[in-house]
Amino acid sequence: MSQPVISARQLTKTYGDFTAVAGIDFEVAPGESFGLLGPNGAGKSTTMRMVGAVSTRTSGELNILGLDPNDHGPDIRSQLGVVPQQDNLDQELRVRDNLLVYGRYFGLPRRLVAERADALLEFAQLTDRKKAKVDDLSGGMKRRLTIARALINEPRILLLDEPTTGLDPQARHILWDRLFRLKEQGTTLVLTTHYMDEAEQLCDRLVVVDKGSIMAEGSPASLIREYSSREVLEVRFGSDKNAEAAERMAGVGDRLEVLPDRILVYSENGEAALERITSLGLEPITSLVRRSSLEDVFLRLTGRSLIE
Amino acid sequence: MTTTTVRDDTARALAGGEAPRRWGAWYIAEHRIRAMKGYAGDALFQSFGNPLIYLFALGVGLASLVPQGVGDVSYLQFVAPALMATAAMTVTANETSYPIMMGFKWNPIFYGMNASPITGGQIVSGMMIHIALRAFVTVAIYFGIIVLFGAVPSALGWLSIGTATLTGMAIGVLISTYTSTIEEDRGQMAMLQRFGIMPLFLFSGTFFPLEQLPVWLQPIGWISPLWHGTEIGRVLTYGAAEPLWLTVTHVGYLATLFIVGLWATRKHFVRRLNK
């Protein structure tokens, strides 16, 4: 890996007795798309705020673009683009004005900011809404405007905290498409998400975070390979019968995971596992064979679901 | 795609932080002035409308009940500098109450600003530059109208534009010191208006000299920035007699409040934004 643009060693953040981030280590290479995957409250946003050079670490080392954020907050932030979990556009300003004032924060000349604002409105597919009030935009449009705003300084690193939470599927796909283009252009992306499909779509490499600690690290495919089987069979027998059925299914597949509403059978061949189950005289109400996902990795690592 | 090393990035970052470090507060002020587009008409109408209403009601209406004036001057001359300082207070109190709470909560622009190279301290300074400009313009318009009403006999009167602005700012930063700590809206703003701004307006020697109040009520005036601001205004607009040390004390008191309030507000912002 070339020299990292972000490097964290034993990075820790505590609030009184509560440890939000418990000594994590990670590195992000230039141009890489790096994800922090974990449930709400895992410490992802706190990590992002430390990487964003706004929250001071309690201990450990953190280096961003070769600088320590404790000493060089403004310098580091001049090279970051930040898309926070909660939109913080200025609702008192119109769409284009939001980009104009934000560009000025970086000390950029007005003419340059105006040029970039128009190009970014195009990129965010918001040119026809440039005079609209922010309040009149849909959730997806606001997210795209926030991303456009984060790009006004042509950042070396773009930090995205739960970029598609609360968006409908269509808006998510438009956003993913825009982020994918940035990735292709070589922008380093760091994103947090609790959506496994988002992590699979956008991340070259990710860490699975839970309770402030890193549970696993790797590419989405390698994590799935390492911590899950190729396929998963999901069977439902009715919530009161799942446990009993699971007892009879012992030995089917590589591993069983009994959830309140269904049983997951981890197997290299889901169809074969289903045949085994029916041969045992069990008749599931529904059955589904699918590919393993990061959700399964998370379940394996923590014993819990990502979205609870 | 261009290939850069981390060393290039470091150099770029150090260069990129330079202008915001120096001018960050002004960028924030620029933002706030641009946001005024939405309410500039209302603000201007207030700047002209309020003095006219007050001057007619008090300087002309109430003054007819006080034909002998106050001391050596007409009632209009007596009350005008107080109204000017009050106008500054009204602007700064408005701008440092809801807008500060909003910036953290309902329209959380401060978090956006803080994610850029701008620091929490610069956000406060920028907000205050904008508020001071607004107060200054309002007071200047007020002063012009008072002059037209013939209530400024002294040649030094124009200096009261500055002192009234300082009065407003001294009060504004005290309010922002408090509002920057509010996490939940439980009607604190209405309380502030009723039990903070209103008593200041009534008991700061605005409508009658402070000495008219019972002795035990007079300390309200002494600690009131509005009283200090009003008294300087009277010295400047019609040469009210007062020892020099007292005038210096008025200015010193207001300047001290402003510095302490600004420092405390900046501290609260930094703590809250960089948790």
Side-chain angles (χ1 to χ4, degrees), chain B residues 79-92 135 139 142 146 160-161 163-169 171 201 206 225-233 254:
Chain B
V79 85
L83 292 177
M84 244 172 83
T86 306
M89 174 179 78
T90 308
V91 168
T92 59
V139 170
Y142 220 121
I146 288 170
S160 66
I161 299 173
T163 57
T165 305
L166 175 63
T167 308
M169 292 310 292
I171 297 167
F201 183 44
T206 315
L226 188 58
W227 178 70
H228 290 276
T230 296
E231 290 299 289
I232 315 169
L254 293 174

PDB file of all heavy atoms in Angstrom, chain B residues 79-92 135 139 142 146 160-161 163-169 171 201 206 225-233 254:
ATOM      1  N   VAL B  79     -34.773  61.571  26.038  1.00  0.00           N
ATOM      2  CA  VAL B  79     -35.128  60.173  25.771  1.00  0.00           C
ATOM      3  C   VAL B  79     -34.458  59.633  24.490  1.00  0.00           C
ATOM      4  O   VAL B  79     -34.240  58.434  24.356  1.00  0.00           O
ATOM      5  CB  VAL B  79     -36.679  60.041  25.728  1.00  0.00           C
ATOM      6  CG1 VAL B  79     -37.248  60.370  24.358  1.00  0.00           C
ATOM      7  CG2 VAL B  79     -37.126  58.673  26.190  1.00  0.00           C
ATOM      8  N   ALA B  80     -34.091  60.511  23.558  1.00  0.00           N
ATOM      9  CA  ALA B  80     -33.567  60.057  22.261  1.00  0.00           C
ATOM     10  C   ALA B  80     -32.330  59.162  22.368  1.00  0.00           C
ATOM     11  O   ALA B  80     -32.299  58.074  21.762  1.00  0.00           O
ATOM     12  CB  ALA B  80     -33.309  61.255  21.358  1.00  0.00           C
ATOM     13  N   PRO B  81     -31.292  59.557  23.116  1.00  0.00           N
ATOM     14  CA  PRO B  81     -30.117  58.668  23.182  1.00  0.00           C
ATOM     15  C   PRO B  81     -30.432  57.317  23.815  1.00  0.00           C
ATOM     16  O   PRO B  81     -29.831  56.299  23.445  1.00  0.00           O
ATOM     17  CB  PRO B  81     -29.112  59.437  24.036  1.00  0.00           C
ATOM     18  CG  PRO B  81     -29.806  60.620  24.573  1.00  0.00           C
ATOM     19  CD  PRO B  81     -31.106  60.816  23.855  1.00  0.00           C
ATOM     20  N   ALA B  82     -31.393  57.319  24.741  1.00  0.00           N
ATOM     21  CA  ALA B  82     -31.786  56.048  25.370  1.00  0.00           C
ATOM     22  C   ALA B  82     -32.468  55.152  24.333  1.00  0.00           C
ATOM     23  O   ALA B  82     -32.230  53.934  24.288  1.00  0.00           O
ATOM     24  CB  ALA B  82     -32.721  56.313  26.528  1.00  0.00           C
ATOM     25  N   LEU B  83     -33.285  55.760  23.491  1.00  0.00           N
ATOM     26  CA  LEU B  83     -33.977  54.963  22.469  1.00  0.00           C
ATOM     27  C   LEU B  83     -32.989  54.411  21.447  1.00  0.00           C
ATOM     28  O   LEU B  83     -33.139  53.297  20.950  1.00  0.00           O
ATOM     29  CB  LEU B  83     -35.043  55.811  21.768  1.00  0.00           C
ATOM     30  CG  LEU B  83     -36.235  56.219  22.646  1.00  0.00           C
ATOM     31  CD1 LEU B  83     -37.186  57.108  21.866  1.00  0.00           C
ATOM     32  CD2 LEU B  83     -36.980  54.986  23.167  1.00  0.00           C
ATOM     33  N   MET B  84     -31.970  55.213  21.177  1.00  0.00           N
ATOM     34  CA  MET B  84     -30.945  54.740  20.232  1.00  0.00           C
ATOM     35  C   MET B  84     -30.225  53.501  20.773  1.00  0.00           C
ATOM     36  O   MET B  84     -30.038  52.514  20.063  1.00  0.00           O
ATOM     37  CB  MET B  84     -29.914  55.846  20.032  1.00  0.00           C
ATOM     38  CG  MET B  84     -29.875  56.370  18.640  1.00  0.00           C
ATOM     39  SD  MET B  84     -28.803  57.815  18.572  1.00  0.00           S
ATOM     40  CE  MET B  84     -27.210  57.056  18.410  1.00  0.00           C
ATOM     41  N   ALA B  85     -29.836  53.599  22.030  1.00  0.00           N
ATOM     42  CA  ALA B  85     -29.139  52.452  22.642  1.00  0.00           C
ATOM     43  C   ALA B  85     -30.081  51.251  22.722  1.00  0.00           C
ATOM     44  O   ALA B  85     -29.668  50.108  22.495  1.00  0.00           O
ATOM     45  CB  ALA B  85     -28.638  52.822  24.030  1.00  0.00           C
ATOM     46  N   THR B  86     -31.359  51.528  22.986  1.00  0.00           N
ATOM     47  CA  THR B  86     -32.335  50.439  23.049  1.00  0.00           C
ATOM     48  C   THR B  86     -32.501  49.775  21.678  1.00  0.00           C
ATOM     49  O   THR B  86     -32.640  48.556  21.575  1.00  0.00           O
ATOM     50  CB  THR B  86     -33.705  50.967  23.530  1.00  0.00           C
ATOM     51  OG1 THR B  86     -33.510  51.646  24.762  1.00  0.00           O
ATOM     52  CG2 THR B  86     -34.697  49.844  23.717  1.00  0.00           C
ATOM     53  N   ALA B  87     -32.467  50.599  20.623  1.00  0.00           N
ATOM     54  CA  ALA B  87     -32.603  50.045  19.262  1.00  0.00           C
ATOM     55  C   ALA B  87     -31.453  49.086  18.984  1.00  0.00           C
ATOM     56  O   ALA B  87     -31.647  47.995  18.413  1.00  0.00           O
ATOM     57  CB  ALA B  87     -32.624  51.169  18.245  1.00  0.00           C
ATOM     58  N   ALA B  88     -30.256  49.493  19.405  1.00  0.00           N
ATOM     59  CA  ALA B  88     -29.094  48.608  19.203  1.00  0.00           C
ATOM     60  C   ALA B  88     -29.297  47.316  19.976  1.00  0.00           C
ATOM     61  O   ALA B  88     -29.040  46.213  19.463  1.00  0.00           O
ATOM     62  CB  ALA B  88     -27.823  49.305  19.666  1.00  0.00           C
ATOM     63  N   MET B  89     -29.799  47.452  21.204  1.00  0.00           N
ATOM     64  CA  MET B  89     -30.018  46.255  22.031  1.00  0.00           C
ATOM     65  C   MET B  89     -31.052  45.328  21.367  1.00  0.00           C
ATOM     66  O   MET B  89     -30.889  44.099  21.380  1.00  0.00           O
ATOM     67  CB  MET B  89     -30.507  46.665  23.420  1.00  0.00           C
ATOM     68  CG  MET B  89     -30.897  45.481  24.302  1.00  0.00           C
ATOM     69  SD  MET B  89     -31.436  45.948  25.947  1.00  0.00           S
ATOM     70  CE  MET B  89     -33.097  46.512  25.637  1.00  0.00           C
ATOM     71  N   THR B  90     -32.101  45.928  20.808  1.00  0.00           N
ATOM     72  CA  THR B  90     -33.143  45.103  20.189  1.00  0.00           C
ATOM     73  C   THR B  90     -32.558  44.254  19.053  1.00  0.00           C
ATOM     74  O   THR B  90     -32.820  43.056  18.952  1.00  0.00           O
ATOM     75  CB  THR B  90     -34.280  45.997  19.658  1.00  0.00           C
ATOM     76  OG1 THR B  90     -34.690  46.850  20.723  1.00  0.00           O
ATOM     77  CG2 THR B  90     -35.451  45.194  19.165  1.00  0.00           C
ATOM     78  N   VAL B  91     -31.746  44.897  18.216  1.00  0.00           N
ATOM     79  CA  VAL B  91     -31.132  44.162  17.095  1.00  0.00           C
ATOM     80  C   VAL B  91     -30.235  43.051  17.616  1.00  0.00           C
ATOM     81  O   VAL B  91     -30.343  41.882  17.213  1.00  0.00           O
ATOM     82  CB  VAL B  91     -30.306  45.114  16.192  1.00  0.00           C
ATOM     83  CG1 VAL B  91     -29.450  44.325  15.214  1.00  0.00           C
ATOM     84  CG2 VAL B  91     -31.221  46.064  15.448  1.00  0.00           C
ATOM     85  N   THR B  92     -29.349  43.397  18.540  1.00  0.00           N
ATOM     86  CA  THR B  92     -28.375  42.387  18.987  1.00  0.00           C
ATOM     87  C   THR B  92     -29.058  41.277  19.784  1.00  0.00           C
ATOM     88  O   THR B  92     -28.664  40.118  19.681  1.00  0.00           O
ATOM     89  CB  THR B  92     -27.245  43.019  19.829  1.00  0.00           C
ATOM     90  OG1 THR B  92     -27.826  43.656  20.971  1.00  0.00           O
ATOM     91  CG2 THR B  92     -26.450  44.015  19.022  1.00  0.00           C
ATOM     92  N   ALA B 135     -26.413  46.305  13.796  1.00  0.00           N
ATOM     93  CA  ALA B 135     -26.731  47.254  14.873  1.00  0.00           C
ATOM     94  C   ALA B 135     -26.262  48.650  14.485  1.00  0.00           C
ATOM     95  O   ALA B 135     -26.985  49.628  14.669  1.00  0.00           O
ATOM     96  CB  ALA B 135     -26.067  46.795  16.168  1.00  0.00           C
ATOM     97  N   VAL B 139     -28.625  51.876  14.182  1.00  0.00           N
ATOM     98  CA  VAL B 139     -28.406  53.030  15.052  1.00  0.00           C
ATOM     99  C   VAL B 139     -28.114  54.279  14.220  1.00  0.00           C
ATOM    100  O   VAL B 139     -28.583  55.384  14.545  1.00  0.00           O
ATOM    101  CB  VAL B 139     -27.249  52.733  16.040  1.00  0.00           C
ATOM    102  CG1 VAL B 139     -26.851  53.984  16.778  1.00  0.00           C
ATOM    103  CG2 VAL B 139     -27.662  51.660  17.024  1.00  0.00           C
ATOM    104  N   TYR B 142     -31.283  55.563  13.017  1.00  0.00           N
ATOM    105  CA  TYR B 142     -31.974  56.141  14.177  1.00  0.00           C
ATOM    106  C   TYR B 142     -31.409  57.536  14.449  1.00  0.00           C
ATOM    107  O   TYR B 142     -32.142  58.503  14.648  1.00  0.00           O
ATOM    108  CB  TYR B 142     -31.740  55.250  15.407  1.00  0.00           C
ATOM    109  CG  TYR B 142     -32.947  55.084  16.294  1.00  0.00           C
ATOM    110  CD1 TYR B 142     -33.476  53.822  16.543  1.00  0.00           C
ATOM    111  CD2 TYR B 142     -33.547  56.178  16.912  1.00  0.00           C
ATOM    112  CE1 TYR B 142     -34.581  53.643  17.361  1.00  0.00           C
ATOM    113  CE2 TYR B 142     -34.649  56.009  17.738  1.00  0.00           C
ATOM    114  CZ  TYR B 142     -35.167  54.738  17.960  1.00  0.00           C
ATOM    115  OH  TYR B 142     -36.253  54.572  18.766  1.00  0.00           O
ATOM    116  N   ILE B 146     -33.253  61.132  14.584  1.00  0.00           N
ATOM    117  CA  ILE B 146     -33.226  61.966  15.802  1.00  0.00           C
ATOM    118  C   ILE B 146     -32.718  63.372  15.474  1.00  0.00           C
ATOM    119  O   ILE B 146     -33.245  64.363  15.958  1.00  0.00           O
ATOM    120  CB  ILE B 146     -32.340  61.290  16.881  1.00  0.00           C
ATOM    121  CG1 ILE B 146     -33.054  60.073  17.447  1.00  0.00           C
ATOM    122  CG2 ILE B 146     -32.048  62.260  18.018  1.00  0.00           C
ATOM    123  CD1 ILE B 146     -32.180  59.220  18.335  1.00  0.00           C
ATOM    124  N   SER B 160     -22.183  58.956  19.337  1.00  0.00           N
ATOM    125  CA  SER B 160     -23.102  58.066  20.064  1.00  0.00           C
ATOM    126  C   SER B 160     -23.531  56.882  19.186  1.00  0.00           C
ATOM    127  O   SER B 160     -24.032  55.881  19.698  1.00  0.00           O
ATOM    128  CB  SER B 160     -24.327  58.834  20.561  1.00  0.00           C
ATOM    129  OG  SER B 160     -25.085  59.284  19.463  1.00  0.00           O
ATOM    130  N   ILE B 161     -23.341  56.982  17.862  1.00  0.00           N
ATOM    131  CA  ILE B 161     -23.636  55.820  16.993  1.00  0.00           C
ATOM    132  C   ILE B 161     -22.728  54.660  17.413  1.00  0.00           C
ATOM    133  O   ILE B 161     -23.163  53.519  17.565  1.00  0.00           O
ATOM    134  CB  ILE B 161     -23.410  56.163  15.500  1.00  0.00           C
ATOM    135  CG1 ILE B 161     -24.345  57.299  15.075  1.00  0.00           C
ATOM    136  CG2 ILE B 161     -23.633  54.939  14.618  1.00  0.00           C
ATOM    137  CD1 ILE B 161     -24.080  57.833  13.670  1.00  0.00           C
ATOM    138  N   THR B 163     -21.099  54.341  20.386  1.00  0.00           N
ATOM    139  CA  THR B 163     -21.304  53.875  21.764  1.00  0.00           C
ATOM    140  C   THR B 163     -22.605  53.077  21.890  1.00  0.00           C
ATOM    141  O   THR B 163     -22.680  52.120  22.660  1.00  0.00           O
ATOM    142  CB  THR B 163     -21.297  55.051  22.766  1.00  0.00           C
ATOM    143  OG1 THR B 163     -22.309  55.991  22.386  1.00  0.00           O
ATOM    144  CG2 THR B 163     -19.946  55.730  22.801  1.00  0.00           C
ATOM    145  N   ALA B 164     -23.637  53.470  21.122  1.00  0.00           N
ATOM    146  CA  ALA B 164     -24.890  52.701  21.165  1.00  0.00           C
ATOM    147  C   ALA B 164     -24.641  51.292  20.595  1.00  0.00           C
ATOM    148  O   ALA B 164     -25.142  50.292  21.121  1.00  0.00           O
ATOM    149  CB  ALA B 164     -25.982  53.411  20.380  1.00  0.00           C
ATOM    150  N   THR B 165     -23.839  51.227  19.521  1.00  0.00           N
ATOM    151  CA  THR B 165     -23.521  49.913  18.935  1.00  0.00           C
ATOM    152  C   THR B 165     -22.772  49.057  19.959  1.00  0.00           C
ATOM    153  O   THR B 165     -23.085  47.875  20.136  1.00  0.00           O
ATOM    154  CB  THR B 165     -22.660  50.075  17.655  1.00  0.00           C
ATOM    155  OG1 THR B 165     -23.365  50.942  16.763  1.00  0.00           O
ATOM    156  CG2 THR B 165     -22.409  48.748  16.974  1.00  0.00           C
ATOM    157  N   LEU B 166     -21.814  49.693  20.647  1.00  0.00           N
ATOM    158  CA  LEU B 166     -21.063  48.962  21.677  1.00  0.00           C
ATOM    159  C   LEU B 166     -22.008  48.456  22.766  1.00  0.00           C
ATOM    160  O   LEU B 166     -21.869  47.318  23.246  1.00  0.00           O
ATOM    161  CB  LEU B 166     -19.974  49.869  22.282  1.00  0.00           C
ATOM    162  CG  LEU B 166     -19.185  49.278  23.458  1.00  0.00           C
ATOM    163  CD1 LEU B 166     -18.400  48.034  23.037  1.00  0.00           C
ATOM    164  CD2 LEU B 166     -18.225  50.317  24.059  1.00  0.00           C
ATOM    165  N   THR B 167     -22.978  49.299  23.144  1.00  0.00           N
ATOM    166  CA  THR B 167     -23.948  48.893  24.166  1.00  0.00           C
ATOM    167  C   THR B 167     -24.703  47.643  23.708  1.00  0.00           C
ATOM    168  O   THR B 167     -24.826  46.663  24.457  1.00  0.00           O
ATOM    169  CB  THR B 167     -24.977  50.033  24.404  1.00  0.00           C
ATOM    170  OG1 THR B 167     -24.263  51.230  24.659  1.00  0.00           O
ATOM    171  CG2 THR B 167     -25.902  49.705  25.549  1.00  0.00           C
ATOM    172  N   GLY B 168     -25.188  47.707  22.474  1.00  0.00           N
ATOM    173  CA  GLY B 168     -25.922  46.556  21.927  1.00  0.00           C
ATOM    174  C   GLY B 168     -25.056  45.309  21.917  1.00  0.00           C
ATOM    175  O   GLY B 168     -25.492  44.213  22.312  1.00  0.00           O
ATOM    176  N   MET B 169     -23.801  45.471  21.533  1.00  0.00           N
ATOM    177  CA  MET B 169     -22.912  44.303  21.434  1.00  0.00           C
ATOM    178  C   MET B 169     -22.583  43.734  22.813  1.00  0.00           C
ATOM    179  O   MET B 169     -22.478  42.516  22.979  1.00  0.00           O
ATOM    180  CB  MET B 169     -21.617  44.666  20.694  1.00  0.00           C
ATOM    181  CG  MET B 169     -21.808  44.973  19.224  1.00  0.00           C
ATOM    182  SD  MET B 169     -22.753  43.724  18.338  1.00  0.00           S
ATOM    183  CE  MET B 169     -21.634  42.331  18.371  1.00  0.00           C
ATOM    184  N   ILE B 171     -24.511  43.710  25.337  1.00  0.00           N
ATOM    185  CA  ILE B 171     -25.678  42.919  25.753  1.00  0.00           C
ATOM    186  C   ILE B 171     -25.779  41.646  24.892  1.00  0.00           C
ATOM    187  O   ILE B 171     -26.046  40.552  25.402  1.00  0.00           O
ATOM    188  CB  ILE B 171     -26.963  43.769  25.644  1.00  0.00           C
ATOM    189  CG1 ILE B 171     -26.871  44.960  26.603  1.00  0.00           C
ATOM    190  CG2 ILE B 171     -28.209  42.937  25.925  1.00  0.00           C
ATOM    191  CD1 ILE B 171     -27.908  46.033  26.394  1.00  0.00           C
ATOM    192  N   PHE B 201     -34.938  47.532  29.692  1.00  0.00           N
ATOM    193  CA  PHE B 201     -35.522  48.656  28.971  1.00  0.00           C
ATOM    194  C   PHE B 201     -36.198  49.630  29.952  1.00  0.00           C
ATOM    195  O   PHE B 201     -36.068  50.838  29.847  1.00  0.00           O
ATOM    196  CB  PHE B 201     -36.537  48.095  27.957  1.00  0.00           C
ATOM    197  CG  PHE B 201     -37.190  49.118  27.081  1.00  0.00           C
ATOM    198  CD1 PHE B 201     -36.454  50.142  26.492  1.00  0.00           C
ATOM    199  CD2 PHE B 201     -38.550  49.040  26.803  1.00  0.00           C
ATOM    200  CE1 PHE B 201     -37.064  51.069  25.664  1.00  0.00           C
ATOM    201  CE2 PHE B 201     -39.167  49.956  25.977  1.00  0.00           C
ATOM    202  CZ  PHE B 201     -38.421  50.981  25.415  1.00  0.00           C
ATOM    203  N   THR B 206     -34.119  54.909  31.130  1.00  0.00           N
ATOM    204  CA  THR B 206     -34.530  55.183  29.751  1.00  0.00           C
ATOM    205  C   THR B 206     -35.525  56.351  29.701  1.00  0.00           C
ATOM    206  O   THR B 206     -35.334  57.317  28.965  1.00  0.00           O
ATOM    207  CB  THR B 206     -35.195  53.923  29.141  1.00  0.00           C
ATOM    208  OG1 THR B 206     -34.406  52.799  29.462  1.00  0.00           O
ATOM    209  CG2 THR B 206     -35.360  54.056  27.646  1.00  0.00           C
ATOM    210  N   PRO B 225     -26.060  47.256  31.274  1.00  0.00           N
ATOM    211  CA  PRO B 225     -25.262  47.854  30.197  1.00  0.00           C
ATOM    212  C   PRO B 225     -26.043  48.951  29.480  1.00  0.00           C
ATOM    213  O   PRO B 225     -25.461  49.921  29.005  1.00  0.00           O
ATOM    214  CB  PRO B 225     -25.000  46.679  29.246  1.00  0.00           C
ATOM    215  CG  PRO B 225     -25.365  45.445  29.998  1.00  0.00           C
ATOM    216  CD  PRO B 225     -26.312  45.835  31.074  1.00  0.00           C
ATOM    217  N   LEU B 226     -27.363  48.792  29.439  1.00  0.00           N
ATOM    218  CA  LEU B 226     -28.170  49.780  28.728  1.00  0.00           C
ATOM    219  C   LEU B 226     -28.095  51.142  29.420  1.00  0.00           C
ATOM    220  O   LEU B 226     -28.044  52.181  28.767  1.00  0.00           O
ATOM    221  CB  LEU B 226     -29.633  49.298  28.649  1.00  0.00           C
ATOM    222  CG  LEU B 226     -30.557  50.141  27.779  1.00  0.00           C
ATOM    223  CD1 LEU B 226     -30.071  50.231  26.346  1.00  0.00           C
ATOM    224  CD2 LEU B 226     -31.978  49.577  27.811  1.00  0.00           C
ATOM    225  N   TRP B 227     -28.078  51.139  30.758  1.00  0.00           N
ATOM    226  CA  TRP B 227     -27.965  52.415  31.479  1.00  0.00           C
ATOM    227  C   TRP B 227     -26.629  53.086  31.153  1.00  0.00           C
ATOM    228  O   TRP B 227     -26.583  54.277  30.839  1.00  0.00           O
ATOM    229  CB  TRP B 227     -28.086  52.192  32.998  1.00  0.00           C
ATOM    230  CG  TRP B 227     -27.914  53.473  33.772  1.00  0.00           C
ATOM    231  CD1 TRP B 227     -28.782  54.528  33.823  1.00  0.00           C
ATOM    232  CD2 TRP B 227     -26.774  53.852  34.547  1.00  0.00           C
ATOM    233  NE1 TRP B 227     -28.271  55.538  34.602  1.00  0.00           N
ATOM    234  CE2 TRP B 227     -27.028  55.155  35.069  1.00  0.00           C
ATOM    235  CE3 TRP B 227     -25.570  53.224  34.880  1.00  0.00           C
ATOM    236  CZ2 TRP B 227     -26.122  55.817  35.900  1.00  0.00           C
ATOM    237  CZ3 TRP B 227     -24.675  53.900  35.715  1.00  0.00           C
ATOM    238  CH2 TRP B 227     -24.959  55.181  36.206  1.00  0.00           C
ATOM    239  N   HIS B 228     -25.555  52.302  31.194  1.00  0.00           N
ATOM    240  CA  HIS B 228     -24.238  52.874  30.896  1.00  0.00           C
ATOM    241  C   HIS B 228     -24.212  53.444  29.479  1.00  0.00           C
ATOM    242  O   HIS B 228     -23.713  54.548  29.254  1.00  0.00           O
ATOM    243  CB  HIS B 228     -23.151  51.804  31.067  1.00  0.00           C
ATOM    244  CG  HIS B 228     -22.921  51.407  32.495  1.00  0.00           C
ATOM    245  ND1 HIS B 228     -22.102  52.105  33.342  1.00  0.00           N
ATOM    246  CD2 HIS B 228     -23.450  50.398  33.242  1.00  0.00           C
ATOM    247  CE1 HIS B 228     -22.105  51.539  34.545  1.00  0.00           C
ATOM    248  NE2 HIS B 228     -22.923  50.492  34.500  1.00  0.00           N
ATOM    249  N   GLY B 229     -24.789  52.688  28.548  1.00  0.00           N
ATOM    250  CA  GLY B 229     -24.810  53.137  27.149  1.00  0.00           C
ATOM    251  C   GLY B 229     -25.649  54.396  26.986  1.00  0.00           C
ATOM    252  O   GLY B 229     -25.285  55.313  26.233  1.00  0.00           O
ATOM    253  N   THR B 230     -26.771  54.431  27.677  1.00  0.00           N
ATOM    254  CA  THR B 230     -27.660  55.583  27.588  1.00  0.00           C
ATOM    255  C   THR B 230     -26.980  56.835  28.154  1.00  0.00           C
ATOM    256  O   THR B 230     -27.053  57.920  27.575  1.00  0.00           O
ATOM    257  CB  THR B 230     -28.955  55.273  28.382  1.00  0.00           C
ATOM    258  OG1 THR B 230     -29.606  54.184  27.747  1.00  0.00           O
ATOM    259  CG2 THR B 230     -29.885  56.467  28.408  1.00  0.00           C
ATOM    260  N   GLU B 231     -26.291  56.647  29.283  1.00  0.00           N
ATOM    261  CA  GLU B 231     -25.636  57.792  29.916  1.00  0.00           C
ATOM    262  C   GLU B 231     -24.536  58.376  29.021  1.00  0.00           C
ATOM    263  O   GLU B 231     -24.417  59.593  28.908  1.00  0.00           O
ATOM    264  CB  GLU B 231     -25.056  57.377  31.281  1.00  0.00           C
ATOM    265  CG  GLU B 231     -26.128  57.096  32.336  1.00  0.00           C
ATOM    266  CD  GLU B 231     -27.001  58.304  32.643  1.00  0.00           C
ATOM    267  OE1 GLU B 231     -26.523  59.256  33.268  1.00  0.00           O
ATOM    268  OE2 GLU B 231     -28.184  58.289  32.231  1.00  0.00           O
ATOM    269  N   ILE B 232     -23.770  57.497  28.363  1.00  0.00           N
ATOM    270  CA  ILE B 232     -22.738  58.039  27.436  1.00  0.00           C
ATOM    271  C   ILE B 232     -23.436  58.783  26.312  1.00  0.00           C
ATOM    272  O   ILE B 232     -22.996  59.843  25.877  1.00  0.00           O
ATOM    273  CB  ILE B 232     -21.863  56.939  26.764  1.00  0.00           C
ATOM    274  CG1 ILE B 232     -21.417  55.888  27.762  1.00  0.00           C
ATOM    275  CG2 ILE B 232     -20.677  57.545  26.055  1.00  0.00           C
ATOM    276  CD1 ILE B 232     -20.782  54.674  27.088  1.00  0.00           C
ATOM    277  N   GLY B 233     -24.530  58.189  25.807  1.00  0.00           N
ATOM    278  CA  GLY B 233     -25.287  58.822  24.715  1.00  0.00           C
ATOM    279  C   GLY B 233     -25.725  60.226  25.116  1.00  0.00           C
ATOM    280  O   GLY B 233     -25.653  61.160  24.308  1.00  0.00           O
ATOM    281  N   LEU B 254     -18.753  48.664  29.471  1.00  0.00           N
ATOM    282  CA  LEU B 254     -19.313  48.043  28.257  1.00  0.00           C
ATOM    283  C   LEU B 254     -18.247  47.232  27.518  1.00  0.00           C
ATOM    284  O   LEU B 254     -18.503  46.111  27.064  1.00  0.00           O
ATOM    285  CB  LEU B 254     -19.889  49.119  27.329  1.00  0.00           C
ATOM    286  CG  LEU B 254     -21.117  49.861  27.863  1.00  0.00           C
ATOM    287  CD1 LEU B 254     -21.506  51.010  26.929  1.00  0.00           C
ATOM    288  CD2 LEU B 254     -22.304  48.902  28.029  1.00  0.00           C
TER     289      LEU B 254
END
